């Protein structure tokens, strides 16, 4: 039986790109990462929307930089989750927290530091991913909490999911990710020819090269081929940065192998957008496993 008032709160960072309707449905609390334009500072998704961010990025007046969620930022989010539950008549017995890959940000370490100071147990999970590939863990955590699972049960379920998450993407260029310095083994793609689209994947925290394609159309087809090669899967999402038309086209292609009504669509927010740039598009999935509870979307 579904527990209408979960005793475990779910917290994540704004990197996870969980669609707003799912955040609202499960009461997920989001700690915002920070994007800077010169001396101006904005909380991701609160002070600046993705649309506003990409409009400014394309204008090119000031190149943005980013910063992680601080320890105090995480503490504020944890307290928000506790108060939110209390307002609904529930006292939380624990918090489950999902963060962006620790290999790409100090956000995970800050979340752990904040957790150590809390009066209730807090489990912090390193997603080893970005965007909705991280968000899959958040959604799974919220569903498990609503089912009445304990904090150790939810943490174990999420850690078992991490190796089953896949994310592949095409970047319009490597300019932004190269400036951010987080490309890792994907540096093998540096020096690409003009009008060649680099393709990358993130697997267990590593940014890895997938090769290069000459057209966006070929990239979209390659993404679908990657998905098919991983089937059976239990969840699929299209992710993009300021590329809605191509995202719809990719969704149409995916619908040939996966039910469109079960496909999530996510727009990359300002902080990830600062590193990936506009024009990125990707697919994320969770590989099926017979012993696990599938994600419901």
């Amino acid at each position: 039986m579904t527990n209408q008032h979960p005793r475990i709160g779910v917290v994540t960072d704004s990197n996870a790109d969980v669609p707003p309707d799912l955040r609202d449905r499960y009461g997920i609390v989001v700690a915002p990462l920070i994007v800077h334009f010169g001396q101006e500072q904005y909380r991701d998704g609160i002070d600046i929307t993705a649309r506003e961010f990409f409009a400014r990025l394309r204008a090119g007046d000031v190149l943005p930089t980013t910063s992680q969620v601080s320890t105090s930022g995480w503490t504020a989010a944890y307290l928000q989750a506790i108060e939110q539950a209390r307002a609904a008549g529930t006292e939380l017995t624990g918090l489950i927290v999902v963060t962006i890959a620790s290999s790409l940000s100090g956000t995970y370490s800050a979340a752990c530091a904040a957790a150590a100071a809390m009066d209730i147990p807090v489990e912090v999970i390193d997603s080893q991913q970005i965007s909705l590939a991280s968000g899959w863990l958040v959604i799974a955590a919220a569903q498990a909490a609503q089912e009445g699972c304990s904090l150790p049960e939810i943490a174990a379920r999420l850690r078992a999911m991490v190796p089953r998450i896949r994310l592949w993407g095409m970047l319009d260029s490597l300019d932004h990710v190269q400036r951010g310095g987080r490309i890792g083994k994907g540096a093998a793609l540096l020096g690409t020819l003009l009008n060649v689209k680099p393709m990358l994947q993130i697997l267990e925290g590593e940014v890895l090269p997938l090769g290069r394609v000459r057209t966006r159309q070929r990239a979209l087809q390659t993404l679908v081929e990657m998905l098919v090669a991983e089937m059976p899967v239990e969840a699929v999402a299209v992710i993009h940065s300021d590329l809605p038309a191509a995202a719809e086209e990719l969704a149409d292609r995916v619908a040939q192998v996966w039910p469109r009504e079960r496909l999530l669509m996510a727009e990359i927010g300002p902080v990830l957008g600062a590193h990936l740039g506009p024009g990125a598009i990707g697919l994320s999935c969770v590989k099926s496993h017979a012993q696990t509870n599938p994600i419901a979307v």
Side-chain angles (χ1 to χ4, degrees):
M1 181 178 293
T2 299
N3 181 355
Q4 294 301 320
H5 299 285
R7 302 296 301 279
I8 306 299
V10 181
V11 184
T12 190
D13 55 58
S14 57
N15 140 84
D17 293 328
V18 177
D21 60 324
L22 292 178
R23 293 201 308 265
D24 294 342
R25 183 190 308 174
Y26 294 115
I28 296 164
V29 172
V30 178
L33 289 101
I34 307 297
V35 62
H36 308 263
F37 281 98
Q39 299 301 309
E40 299 173 48
Q41 177 175 300
Y42 302 92
R43 292 170 295 172
D44 185 353
I46 297 176
D47 302 320
I48 188 169
T49 66
R51 179 171 296 181
E52 291 165 344
F53 169 79
F54 284 113
R56 185 159 181 182
L57 184 64
R58 289 184 184 278
D61 51 349
V62 180
L63 291 176
T65 59
T66 64
S67 55
Q68 68 192 50
V69 181
S70 65
T71 301
S72 61
W74 279 116
T75 299
Y78 299 165
L79 294 175
Q80 179 186 342
I82 292 169
E83 289 305 316
Q84 178 175 286
R86 191 169 288 157
T90 301
E91 288 292 331
L92 295 183
T93 58
L95 293 171
I96 189 83
V97 182
V98 178
T99 78
I100 187 174
S102 62
S103 57
L104 302 175
S105 171
T107 293
Y108 170 78
S109 295
C112 291
M118 295 300 293
D119 293 331
I120 61 173
V122 181
E123 284 273 8
V124 183
I125 307 295
D126 176 1
S127 73
Q128 300 183 30
Q129 281 291 351
I130 63 170
S131 191
L132 196 51
S134 174
W136 291 131
L137 296 170
V138 182
I139 297 166
Q143 291 174 352
Q146 201 162 71
E147 291 164 14
C149 294
S150 69
L151 184 60
E153 287 171 336
I154 298 172
R157 184 182 295 189
L158 299 194
R159 290 189 172 106
M161 273 184 66
V162 169
R164 297 189 289 116
I165 297 174
R166 301 288 183 270
L167 174 62
W168 316 282
M170 178 214 81
L171 304 181
D172 194 51
S173 79
L174 284 169
D175 291 347
H176 294 273
V177 73
Q178 185 179 5
R179 280 201 303 268
R182 292 177 169 85
I183 194 169
K185 292 181 181 178
L189 290 174
L190 294 177
T192 56
L193 298 174
L194 187 66
N195 296 327
V196 174
K197 307 296 184 185
M199 298 194 69
L200 303 169
Q201 67 174 324
I202 296 181
L203 189 62
E204 297 188 38
E206 279 201 282
V207 182
L208 302 170
L210 278 178
R212 292 169 275 191
V213 295
R214 289 196 173 275
T215 67
R216 183 179 293 158
Q217 291 297 311
R218 180 56 195 155
L220 299 184
Q221 185 58 35
T222 299
L223 291 172
V224 176
E225 290 167 2
M226 299 291 291
L227 172 63
V228 170
E230 294 289 351
M231 287 184 165
V233 297
E234 64 182 53
V236 182
V238 171
I239 304 166
H240 71 96
S241 60
D242 200 32
L243 209 60
E248 288 296 329
E249 181 179 350
L250 179 56
D252 289 340
R253 290 173 181 251
V254 171
Q256 298 173 25
V257 298
W258 179 260
R260 181 67 183 258
E261 65 273 13
R262 293 182 57 202
L263 178 67
L264 284 189
M265 305 285 285
E267 185 169 14
I268 290 169
V271 166
L272 277 180
H275 294 283
L276 300 180
I281 190 165
L283 275 182
S284 178
C285 72
V286 181
K287 288 178 63 65
S288 296
H289 191 288
Q291 304 303 314
T292 61
N293 298 58
I295 295 172
V297 297

